[in-house]
Amino acid sequence: MSIIRSVDVIFRWQDKLPHLNDTAVVVIDTLRATTTMATILERGARSVLPVGDVDKAFRLRMSNAHTLLGGERNNRPLPGFDAGNSPFDYPESLVRGRLVVLTTTNGTQAVERVAGAPWVALGALVNAQACAQAQMAAFNQGLIVCAGTEGMLALEDVLAAGAIISYWPHDVRSDSAHLAYALYEQWHENLFEGICRASHARTLIRQGLEADVEFAASLNIYSRVPKRQADQWFVAE
Ligand code: MLT
């Protein structure tokens, strides 16, 4: 039996998903959830759990006093959160050795949507190459699920999807994978300028969060990938 490689991209987590069996799924929310979760783990957190629901996130924090609760609604941390959804909210001095529960508007919902997949990792520009390599090593079929913003396609997610796709062979890319790659090819020499075309980037910049956008445009600064474990928590591997 021949083993056929393929890679596909879903531009919004609400869209129809293919069958997820034998598929390595990378979830992307470049601004900012997956960039931030990758950073939390790089700064030494033990593991991160993305949670869609705020009440569930609070319950999880209460069940273990050593757990940090972070995330956002309307791009800002809610009252009672320990930190927001900015990578700069998680210095090593805060996160080393900690468990972190994160709840955000779109990114953590996207992760929950692919709960049935056998292999799930968190991707962004910061770890694009490592994601592609881990994904290809895990299964022949790769799927990239973009979080989008409020139900709409998000340019910054397509850009990061294109960066991951750039490491996959040309002849295994779906139409949407080719499209994501074309966007990345257009901006790969100036990712910050490209990301600034995105409406969510402009919103964050208006809110004084330009440093977060600039940080999210950093390509391949991490060589590890947040990978889901059997207990649903993500660990950098
Ligand atoms: C989200 O999950 O919707 C985003 O990460 C929002 C944000 O930029 O905080």
Side-chain angles (χ1 to χ4, degrees), residues 23-107:
T23 302
V25 177
V26 172
V27 177
I28 294 178
D29 184 5
T30 315
L31 292 174
R32 294 167 293 170
T34 55
T35 299
T36 296
M37 287 190 274
T39 301
I40 289 169
L41 291 172
E42 287 300 320
R43 303 242 165 99
R46 185 140 53 98
S47 51
V48 175
L49 183 65
V51 170
D53 180 65
V54 174
D55 290 338
K56 183 177 172 195
F58 272 114
R59 280 199 303 277
L60 281 160
R61 200 253 311 258
M62 271 167 58
S63 65
N64 180 342
H66 200 56
T67 302
L68 280 175
L69 171 59
E72 57 72 41
R73 289 298 180 271
N74 298 318
N75 308 320
R76 300 287 184 201
L78 292 175
F81 279 29
D82 302 306
N85 191 26
S86 166
F88 298 106
D89 288 350
Y90 298 91
E92 185 179 342
S93 56
L94 179 67
V95 300
R96 179 147 295 279
R98 306 285 293 269
L99 303 176
V100 181
V101 172
L102 198 88
T103 179
T104 67
T105 316
N106 303 285

